[in-house]
């Protein structure tokens, strides 16, 4: 049972490049989400999904895109990377959103030059 | 919007001491309250989940309490060890999850 798996763990991009952070869970969780964690800012919600085909914006969605074609996968796309997107990104999932326990991946550290 | 606050931001204690970490939240309409541990460069590991109908949960040397009416939760760590050194975050789980900024704990051998 792998839980929540994120890839890649580290990535360096140049300004303007695009990339996709992958997130997969094997717990049959309906709720999946992406956070970014910055020093002094805590965890901020980027996008979330309550099931396949359903996504919604969080607190800081600009510059990011998501889709949820399967229950297991929830990729995060950076459309045109900017230095302000340098951060650690976490994917998290829960069986049923708020009422359920939240489980996190190990994180993806992104640097945009 | 729910506001979650953790005090203190940092704490340093000698090994063996009992300690309490605090978490307060502004909206009591929550399903549960969850405590996490985060080691440097790692993800968040769930420690305890307290349902809104519960008053406390225990796991080993950890005990978490929840008082919804006052908007407070505490994490009690008994007989602290150097391996407990980490950042501890709380999250209120309502329709969304809201996180505090954490308490950085250092246990000195």
């Amino acid at each position: 049972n792998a839980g929540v798996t994120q890839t890649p763990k580290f990535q360096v991009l140049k300004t303007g490049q695009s990339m996709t952070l992958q997130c997969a869970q094997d717990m049959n969780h309906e709720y999946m989400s992406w956070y970014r964690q910055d020093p002094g800012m805590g965890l901020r919600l980027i996008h979330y999904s309550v099931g396949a085909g359903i996504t919604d914006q969080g607190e800081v969605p600009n510059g990011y895109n998501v889709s949820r074609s399967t229950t297991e996968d929830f990729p995060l796309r950076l459309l045109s990377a900017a230095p302000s997107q340098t951060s650690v990104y976490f994917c998290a999932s829960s069986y049923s959103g708020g009422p359920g326990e939240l489980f996190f991946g190990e994180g993806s550290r992104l640097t945009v030059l | 919007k729910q506001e979650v606050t953790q005090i203190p931001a940092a704490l340093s204690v000698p090994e063996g001491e009992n300690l309490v970490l605090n978490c307060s939240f502004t909206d009591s309409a929550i399903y549960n309250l969850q405590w996490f541990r985060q080691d440097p460069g790692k993800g968040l590991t769930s420690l305890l989940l307290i349902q809104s109908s519960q008053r406390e949960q225990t796991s080993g040397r950890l005990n978490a309490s929840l008082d919804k009416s006052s908007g407070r939760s505490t994490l009690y760590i008994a007989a602290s060890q150097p391996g407990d050194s980490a950042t501890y975050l709380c999250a209120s789980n309502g329709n969304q999850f809201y996180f505090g900024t954490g308490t950085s704990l250092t246990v000195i051998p």
Side-chain angles (χ1 to χ4, degrees):
Chain A
N1 191 340
V4 180
T5 303
Q6 291 183 234
T7 55
K9 287 186 167 44
F10 301 94
Q11 183 72 50
V12 178
L13 289 178
K14 294 181 179 178
T15 297
Q17 287 184 318
S18 62
M19 76 157 299
T20 299
L21 299 176
Q22 301 290 346
C23 176
Q25 52 88 12
D26 60 0
M27 298 174 282
N28 200 31
H29 284 174
E30 291 294 327
Y31 179 91
M32 296 186 73
S33 54
W34 278 101
Y35 292 87
R36 60 178 290 173
Q37 187 177 41
D38 302 289
M41 303 289 289
L43 283 158
R44 291 183 291 171
L45 181 65
I46 304 171
H47 284 286
Y48 67 97
S49 169
V50 296
I54 306 169
T55 64
D56 207 346
Q57 297 181 350
E59 183 183 357
V60 288
N62 292 340
Y64 307 95
N65 205 355
V66 292
S67 60
R68 184 95 179 270
S69 56
T70 67
T71 299
E72 295 78 17
D73 301 299
F74 191 45
L76 178 71
R77 297 181 185 85
L78 280 70
L79 308 173
S80 178
S84 61
Q85 294 179 303
T86 294
S87 186
V88 181
Y89 292 84
F90 289 102
C91 180
S93 73
S94 168
Y95 180 73
S96 59
E101 187 173 3
L102 197 61
F103 295 89
F104 278 82
E106 285 290 304
S108 298
R109 184 175 294 274
L110 175 67
T111 301
V112 182
L113 303 175
Chain B
K1 177 190 168 186
Q2 175 81 282
E3 298 288 338
V4 180
T5 304
Q6 291 188 248
I7 295 173
L11 182 63
S12 183
V13 300
E15 181 177 1
E17 200 164 284
N18 302 325
L19 60 100
V20 174
L21 306 180
N22 297 295
C23 172
S24 62
F25 48 94
T26 54
D27 186 353
S28 62
I30 62 173
Y31 293 113
N32 55 56
L33 192 291
Q34 195 168 354
W35 282 93
F36 296 88
R37 168 184 173 138
Q38 186 175 27
D39 293 288
K42 299 291 188 180
L44 281 71
T45 300
S46 180
L47 296 174
L48 289 165
L49 177 74
I50 315 173
Q51 300 290 349
S52 62
S53 58
Q54 297 175 315
R55 296 285 292 183
E56 63 179 58
Q57 276 283 5
T58 298
S59 176
R61 294 183 293 109
L62 305 180
N63 176 277
S65 67
L66 174 64
D67 184 344
K68 273 183 55 177
S69 61
S70 67
R72 293 182 182 181
S73 177
T74 62
L75 179 65
Y76 175 84
I77 302 177
S80 59
Q81 302 171 358
D84 294 331
S85 298
T87 296
Y88 292 81
L89 296 96
C90 66
S92 71
N93 301 347
N95 289 324
Q96 278 296 347
F97 299 90
Y98 293 96
F99 289 83
T101 51
T103 294
S104 177
L105 173 66
T106 302
V107 180
I108 304 166

